[in-house]
Amino acid sequence: FDLNRCKSKLLDYVKSAQPGLVKLLSRQLSSIVEGDQKANSLQLAEILVTFTYDVIERSRRRSIQEAILLARNANADDEIRKRLLDYLQEGVGAESLDILLEQTEVRMEPWRQMLDKIDTPFDAGEVRGLAIRALESYPDHPGVLLLRSVSEMMCSDANDVTASQTIHAALRSSKERYGLTDEDIIETLSWLGDLADTRTTALRLPMAVAFYQAKAEGLLSKSVTSHGVSLLKSLDDENVDAARHVAFLSEATDGLETATGLVRRVVSDINLSKVIGRAS
């Protein structure tokens, strides 16, 4: 049993299936040190099984979700036909997409450049089809999720809930799984803000909802949070303001529930009850 050789083989396997996750897996493997061979084997097996199931489960869930969205949003034969054709054909940027998916060092700039090439709703539909197909194999790749969300809002049959959920998923996976820097995330948020301010104003609300949800869940660093809050305020949009107020009320409610729980636990403490009893 050669631990280093096993690590290398496992990395090669992940690189062939999910190149962007090599960095995350390398960190996990570095925590496994020479020791009991059986324990080492079990640790490696657990990482392999977890990785395989995680990718397959997310891929299947994504496929089911897209089928549901097709059923909900396509109300006529021609709409179903268009979505299916967008899914099947290569479309704008297909070659670039394949190249980007093979990179082990994920950066968002080239993905943003792909979206900058969209000129019409027809182009957006093709990119959306490409993204849907890519997500079946790369279900949490932040670049593909960005393609999926932004192209959705550039289509004539855009669904803002889908866009919001996908932006949130991109924010979640960016740092947790793909190791994107704060600078890259901030640049992407700025780019989204410019796009929402000038070209696709319908993107403002999905972007705001996704950001404030990620903020509430603690997915963003202080610098990213500060930049995002300032950016959304600068859009001066009623819907964005409403999303901010809802997020504030939600945080306040959570804080109140936490405080109430603490008071309840203190009041119900048996020792406190005895002290109060003596005092009375």
Side-chain angles (χ1 to χ4, degrees), residues 7 28 34 39 42 80 107 122 146 164 180 183 185 193 256 271:
K7 288 182 178 182
Q28 293 177 340
E34 290 281 0
L42 287 173
I80 296 175
R107 293 175 56 254
F122 180 83
L146 184 69
S164 175
L180 266 65
E183 291 75 13
I185 298 174
L256 182 60
N271 293 321

Coordinates of all heavy atoms in Angstrom, one line a residue, residues 7 28 34 39 42 80 107 122 146 164 180 183 185 193 256 271:
K7 N -3.1 8.7 -3.4 CA -3.6 10.0 -3.5 C -3.5 10.6 -4.9 O -4.4 11.2 -5.4 CB -2.7 10.9 -2.6 CG -3.0 10.8 -1.1 CD -2.1 11.7 -0.3 CE -2.4 11.6 1.2 NZ -1.6 12.6 2.0
Q28 N -8.1 18.2 1.1 CA -8.6 17.1 1.8 C -7.6 16.0 2.0 O -7.4 15.4 3.0 CB -9.9 16.6 1.2 CG -11.1 17.5 1.2 CD -12.3 17.0 0.5 OE1 -12.2 16.1 -0.3 NE2 -13.5 17.5 0.8
E34 N 0.7 9.4 6.7 CA 1.1 8.0 6.9 C 0.7 7.5 8.3 O 0.9 8.1 9.3 CB 2.6 7.9 6.7 CG 3.0 8.2 5.2 CD 2.8 7.0 4.3 OE1 2.3 5.9 4.8 OE2 3.1 7.0 3.1
A39 N -6.7 2.3 8.1 CA -7.3 3.6 8.4 C -7.1 4.5 7.2 O -8.1 5.2 6.8 CB -6.7 4.2 9.6
L42 N -9.5 3.5 4.4 CA -10.9 3.9 4.7 C -11.1 5.4 4.4 O -12.1 5.8 3.9 CB -11.2 3.5 6.1 CG -11.5 2.0 6.4 CD1 -11.6 1.8 7.9 CD2 -12.6 1.5 5.6
I80 N -41.8 24.7 -26.1 CA -41.1 23.4 -25.7 C -40.0 23.1 -26.8 O -38.9 22.7 -26.5 CB -42.1 22.3 -25.6 CG1 -43.0 22.6 -24.4 CG2 -41.4 21.0 -25.4 CD1 -44.2 21.6 -24.3
R107 N -11.4 30.7 -12.6 CA -11.5 32.2 -12.5 C -12.8 32.6 -13.3 O -13.2 32.0 -14.3 CB -10.3 32.8 -13.1 CG -9.0 32.6 -12.3 CD -7.8 33.2 -13.0 NE -7.9 34.6 -13.3 CZ -8.1 35.1 -14.5 NH1 -8.2 34.3 -15.5 NH2 -8.3 36.4 -14.7
F122 N -32.2 35.4 -28.6 CA -32.0 34.1 -29.2 C -30.6 33.6 -28.8 O -30.5 32.4 -28.5 CB -32.0 34.3 -30.8 CG -31.7 33.0 -31.5 CD1 -32.7 32.1 -31.8 CD2 -30.4 32.8 -32.0 CE1 -32.5 31.0 -32.5 CE2 -30.2 31.6 -32.7 CZ -31.2 30.7 -32.9
L146 N -23.2 30.8 -13.2 CA -23.3 32.2 -13.7 C -23.9 32.3 -15.1 O -24.8 33.1 -15.3 CB -21.9 32.9 -13.6 CG -21.9 34.4 -14.0 CD1 -22.6 35.2 -12.9 CD2 -20.5 34.9 -14.2
S164 N -32.4 33.7 -9.5 CA -32.0 33.9 -8.1 C -31.5 32.7 -7.4 O -30.4 32.8 -6.8 CB -33.3 34.4 -7.3 OG -32.9 34.6 -5.9
L180 N -12.5 30.3 -5.0 CA -12.4 31.6 -5.6 C -12.0 32.7 -4.6 O -12.4 32.6 -3.5 CB -13.7 32.0 -6.3 CG -13.9 31.7 -7.8 CD1 -13.9 30.2 -8.0 CD2 -15.2 32.3 -8.3
E183 N -11.5 38.8 -4.3 CA -11.4 39.8 -5.3 C -12.2 39.3 -6.6 O -12.9 40.1 -7.2 CB -9.9 40.0 -5.7 CG -9.1 40.7 -4.7 CD -8.7 39.8 -3.5 OE1 -8.9 38.6 -3.6 OE2 -8.2 40.3 -2.5
I185 N -14.8 37.3 -6.6 CA -16.2 37.3 -6.3 C -16.7 38.8 -6.4 O -17.8 39.1 -6.9 CB -16.5 36.7 -5.0 CG1 -16.1 35.2 -5.0 CG2 -18.0 36.9 -4.6 CD1 -16.2 34.6 -3.6
G193 N -23.7 43.9 -11.3 CA -24.4 45.2 -11.0 C -24.4 46.1 -12.3 O -25.4 46.7 -12.5
L256 N -34.3 37.9 17.4 CA -35.3 37.9 18.5 C -35.6 36.5 19.0 O -35.7 36.2 20.2 CB -36.5 38.6 18.0 CG -37.7 38.7 19.0 CD1 -37.2 39.6 20.2 CD2 -38.9 39.4 18.3
N271 N -31.7 25.5 38.9 CA -30.9 26.2 39.9 C -31.5 27.6 40.2 O -31.6 28.1 41.3 CB -29.4 26.3 39.6 CG -28.8 24.9 39.6 OD1 -29.1 24.1 40.5 ND2 -27.9 24.6 38.7

